[in-house]
Amino acid sequence: MDVLPTGTVSLLFSDIEGSTALLKRLGPAYAEALDGQRRVLRKAWANHAGTELGTEGDSFYVVFPTAEGAVAAAAQGQRDLAGFEWPGGEQVRVRMGIHTGSPKVHDGAYVGMDVHRAARIAGAAHGGQVLLSSATAELVTECLPEQVTVKDLGSHQLKDITNPEHVFQAAIEGLPSDFPPPKTLGTASSLPRPATPLVGRDGELAELAALLSSPQVRQVTLTGPGGSGKTRLAIGVAERLADRFPDGVYFVPLAAVTTADVMWTSIAEVLDVPPEGRIPPGFFDHVAHRTALFVLDNLEQLDGADRVVTELLEHGPQVVVIASSRRPLNVPGEIQHAVPPLELPEEATFTHAERSGAVQMFVQHAKAVKGSFALTATNAADVVTLCQRLDGLPLAIELAAARSKLLSPSALLSRLDKSLDITATGSLSLARQKTLRDTIAWSYDLLNLTQQAFFRRLGVFAGGADLEAIAAVTADALTEADPLDLVADLVDSSLVTILDDADGEPRVGMLETIRAYAMDQLEAAGEHVDVRHRHGQHYVDLAEQLRPLVVGDQYLHARARLEVEHDNFRKALAWDLQRNDSPGGVADGVDLSLRLCSALGGFWDFSGYGSEGLRWLERSIQGAGSDSQPHARCLEWMAFFLGDRLGQFERAYGYATQCVQMWRRLGDSAGLPRALSILARVEVNRGHAAACRPLLQEARTVAQQVGDKQQLRSVLEALAVLEISVGNHEQALELDTEALQIARELQDQRSIAYGQHNVACCLRELGRVEEAAQRLRDLVPLLQGLNDPYFLAGFAGTYAGVLADLNQHHSAVHMLGAADAMRERLDMPRSPTQTAEMAEPIAKTRAALTSQEWDNDYQTGRNLTVEDALTQAHAATADMAV
């Protein structure tokens, strides 16, 4: 490939759905399947003028000169894949996404939002499906390949894309065309997809749907003991109401959440709110105008849930909430609905039994494990008695019915009678809870010893786990067993659930009631300390593996993976810190926590979890003992968050000083340059610029000695800032140019963006404003794909200054307003140096505009996102340049 196509092109991404599971099933034959997939698709790309840009594993990235060619290639590829003879009788299912745009060519590759949009559309597809953006669909409507039609799937929120995307499907005659909703955010498809229909709740569904359709009703709490069916009923109601909420239905699982701050960020994750707006008050901008339904699941353990729900409803006037909890929230306007057990038959006859919700549920789950099972006049009495013994509790009925594969209703009943304490006394709720717990215990007792040990260990996971994590944590319990086989055994017993993750890979989860029982059994067996340590060690290893990727070209993948496992990281931190705090606690818990915090610092920063990260860092540092590299990195992150993000420079100075001293004591030159740079930045912001130069000069020397180009680049940028502060702009430009050259050598897109921004700042200070403006214009497409809110806020301030220099005063003030609003959402005030830098453009625009004009423009800017303000300014300055 000598020259990339330019202008309007169509980008296609594809990959195999469930490739990891396919690899496990095929073993060595997977290579044959992968080769077959590549041959089939490369033939399709070549037949329609496709240019292959990248192939990694089972994925393709291809560009076509026309939208028609891209769709024709996708259709041919799907047909040929369907007709291919795959090894082992498997069917390889490939998902594809196509978007048409005008991406910029930079350093031999396409950059900009068009690339990310195409990748996200592909990620929303299911195996065998071809999804199109609205831009592609519009272009091919009149020139579709034969036997291909376009199906409108509506608007969907794609991850990391600000505005909703209208998505279409290329339906190919002769191939499946009915797929589940796209894997996107902000629609009814974000609700979990239960494996079985909801039975026995028709009356309640109608009642709750009618209740929540009233404008006066904005919050309903479904209450009841664990296993009573609260979550399933909430999902059923939400499905019925989906059409009433044009801005989406959002399911927010909160079983692993224990603080109000994390509850806010959990809601924000489901909404796909950008990092800068994940906590109040910035979060409120993202719900203020939404007509949306939130299902907040499992709130009973969450202190402050009542305040979060109250503020959510207050700041989202068109928002409606369905909450599930073992107890009411007692918030203003709350309507409480106690979820009763399923209806039990009045008599143990076939006629009464078949109308009973409890019996219907038993039959449904019994048929799921034994297709020939049916309710008959012969077994009706036993089934009725079973359901009565289980108090009509849905989870207890499901667990018992799962054993119908081997046991008849009468055999089940005899075993339940021997296992359950049916003489429990006390309140009705407590008695039902005991019945449920005894039913879980009965299911557990029927497992063999290996299955029991495996089940107990699964209790340590929060928010589910992938097969790799399960194998790592349960290794001592597996003996010769395959973890996938053991998972299948527990699925058959209804003790775990299986969902597909974003890549189509299986993710194993547990209902919270069952997970609590598993943890009790783990502690009773005396295994909890070892298994929790295995859990923590696995997630430390994962975080450390992903740490360098968070700031590299694979940052979108890395951050998505870290988001999925965030509850497990939180659980690992909580357990290890608790272990150290307890009498007789062990120091390696803190070491593990320090390692985890040091690895997650970049993720917390880029993804809007800075406040939560600070709390974990502070607790870990307080419990730390001897010097170590993870300890020193945690001190770095504390100084960075306090200084660069919060402007608390005196506190930051203390941590930065400790950090430098620790690296010196460790005799570790590799970590010293970054620590010295952070301390230097703090000193500048404390007004001690003279103390900054020797720190940075030492950092430069050490970075050169150890050959750390990334740190050298960072130190050069810091030295440039110092030179600017004393008026040496030419020297600063030399330093920033050298740093930019290193970033290009490293092919680090984020560092390239930072470097080009810094060079533009120097050019502006030297009066070369047109050159600075061109540098900034060139950066806008790249920035919108980086998704780095902190850099974006600083960049917007720089651009505002350049716009003011170019007499684009209205655009400059718009940018100032957008940048200030973003900083408020981030809780990131300007440093004294940044405040001084902004004084000139503010004064210049105020002198050029009337007070009324300035105030109006500033408010207009505050109502824009920085991305929108940049797009507008980019267009204006580009026109002026022409």
Side-chain angles (χ1 to χ4, degrees), residues 41-99:
L41 293 182
R42 280 178 170 148
K43 180 180 178 182
W45 311 152
N47 286 349
H48 298 280
T51 300
E52 188 177 319
L53 299 177
T55 304
E56 183 177 343
D58 60 287
S59 65
F60 276 101
Y61 171 22
V62 191
V63 61
F64 295 84
T66 67
E68 180 183 1
V71 174
Q76 178 186 331
Q78 293 290 12
R79 286 195 184 100
D80 292 348
L81 288 168
F84 193 83
E85 292 188 13
W86 301 100
E90 291 284 351
Q91 179 60 55
V92 173
R93 293 164 55 81
V94 173
R95 55 184 183 174
M96 301 180 185
I98 304 172
H99 170 61

Side-chain angles (χ1 to χ4, degrees), residues 370-606:
K370 186 177 183 180
S372 61
F373 183 88
L375 183 71
T376 66
T378 303
N379 65 20
D382 288 330
V383 173
V384 168
T385 306
L386 273 168
C387 293
Q388 290 171 339
R389 292 281 194 272
L390 299 173
D391 290 333
L393 287 167
L395 180 56
I397 291 171
E398 179 181 345
L399 290 171
R403 293 294 174 179
S404 297
K405 189 173 185 178
L406 299 174
L407 301 173
S408 68
S410 62
L412 273 171
L413 183 58
S414 66
R415 284 161 176 76
L416 279 174
D417 279 341
K418 293 174 183 176
S419 302
L420 300 188
D421 177 6
I422 60 173
T423 62
T425 59
S427 73
L428 185 60
S429 177
L430 289 175
R432 287 175 179 158
Q433 195 66 37
K434 178 168 177 52
T435 297
L436 177 60
R437 185 175 179 83
D438 286 345
T439 308
I440 298 172
W442 172 78
S443 294
Y444 175 76
D445 290 340
L446 291 174
L447 301 174
N448 64 39
L449 293 179
T450 299
Q451 292 167 339
Q452 288 181 348
F454 184 75
F455 168 78
R456 293 193 298 268
R457 284 154 177 75
L458 293 185
V460 300
F461 294 106
D466 58 25
L467 295 177
E468 181 182 359
I470 288 171
V473 172
T474 65
D476 65 318
L478 293 178
T479 61
E480 299 299 320
D482 185 326
L484 193 57
D485 291 338
L486 290 171
V487 167
D489 293 338
L490 298 183
V491 170
D492 288 344
S493 300
S494 290
L495 290 170
V496 301
T497 58
I498 300 289
L499 295 173
D500 288 344
D501 65 15
D503 296 321
E505 296 298 315
R507 190 166 182 84
V508 181
M510 279 183 170
L511 294 176
E512 191 61 22
T513 305
I514 295 177
R515 197 183 78 82
Y517 180 84
M519 285 302 300
D520 287 347
Q521 294 304 306
L522 193 68
E523 294 196 23
E527 301 163 342
H528 58 293
V529 173
D530 178 63
V531 175
R532 284 176 173 178
H533 184 73
R534 287 172 179 268
H535 173 275
Q537 188 62 55
H538 172 76
Y539 285 104
V540 164
D541 292 343
L542 177 63
E544 290 179 340
Q545 172 191 336
L546 294 174
R547 175 176 57 193
L549 305 183
V550 170
V551 294
D553 288 343
Q554 299 182 54
Y555 73 97
L556 285 175
H557 167 76
R559 284 162 59 178
R561 181 79 188 279
L562 291 166
E563 288 277 15
V564 168
E565 301 296 356
H566 205 174
D567 283 339
N568 277 309
F569 293 132
R570 289 164 173 149
K571 187 63 72 176
L573 283 165
W575 277 335
D576 282 295
L577 290 169
Q578 179 185 33
R579 178 170 57 155
N580 185 73
D581 293 341
S582 64
V586 291
D588 67 330
V590 171
D591 181 62
L592 191 149
S593 300
L594 289 169
R595 286 176 59 196
L596 196 47
C597 285
S598 68
L600 291 174
F603 165 67
W604 285 332
D605 181 36
F606 291 129

Side-chain angles (χ1 to χ4, degrees), residues 790-848:
Y790 298 102
F791 179 42
L792 202 57
F795 180 87
T798 301
Y799 212 151
V802 169
L803 290 169
D805 293 342
L806 294 172
N807 297 319
Q808 298 285 311
H809 299 298
H810 294 288
S811 293
V813 181
H814 290 164
M815 193 71 69
L816 287 169
D820 285 351
M822 186 178 212
R823 285 183 176 276
E824 290 173 16
R825 291 194 296 271
L826 288 166
D827 192 21
M828 186 185 74
R830 286 191 176 89
S831 68
T833 302
Q834 291 168 331
T835 300
E837 290 171 354
M838 295 311 301
E840 181 186 352
I842 290 173
K844 189 175 289 186
T845 53
R846 282 196 176 278

Side-chain angles (χ1 to χ4, degrees), residues 666-683:
L666 289 168
D668 190 331
S669 298
L672 189 57
R674 174 174 162 82
L676 289 166
S677 297
I678 290 174
L679 179 56
R681 286 204 301 275
V682 172
E683 287 285 42

Side-chain angles (χ1 to χ4, degrees), residues 12-19 22 30 33-34 36-38 40-42 45 58-61 73-75 77-82 84 86 91-97 122-131 170 172 175-176 179 183 503:
L12 182 152
F13 284 85
S14 75
D15 64 5
I16 296 175
E17 182 180 59
S19 56
L22 182 66
Y30 177 75
L34 186 60
Q37 182 246 182
R38 288 175 176 172
V40 166
L41 293 182
R42 280 178 170 148
W45 311 152
D58 60 287
S59 65
F60 276 101
Y61 171 22
Q78 293 290 12
R79 286 195 184 100
D80 292 348
L81 288 168
F84 193 83
W86 301 100
Q91 179 60 55
V92 173
R93 293 164 55 81
V94 173
R95 55 184 183 174
M96 301 180 185
H126 298 273
Q129 186 177 37
V130 180
L131 293 184
I172 305 163
L175 298 182
F179 295 91
K183 300 174 184 178
D503 296 321

Side-chain angles (χ1 to χ4, degrees), residues 275 600-610 637 640-641 645 788-790:
L600 291 174
F603 165 67
W604 285 332
D605 181 36
F606 291 129
S607 301
Y609 299 108
W637 280 115
F640 174 80
F641 280 124
R645 298 308 185 223
D788 184 340
Y790 298 102

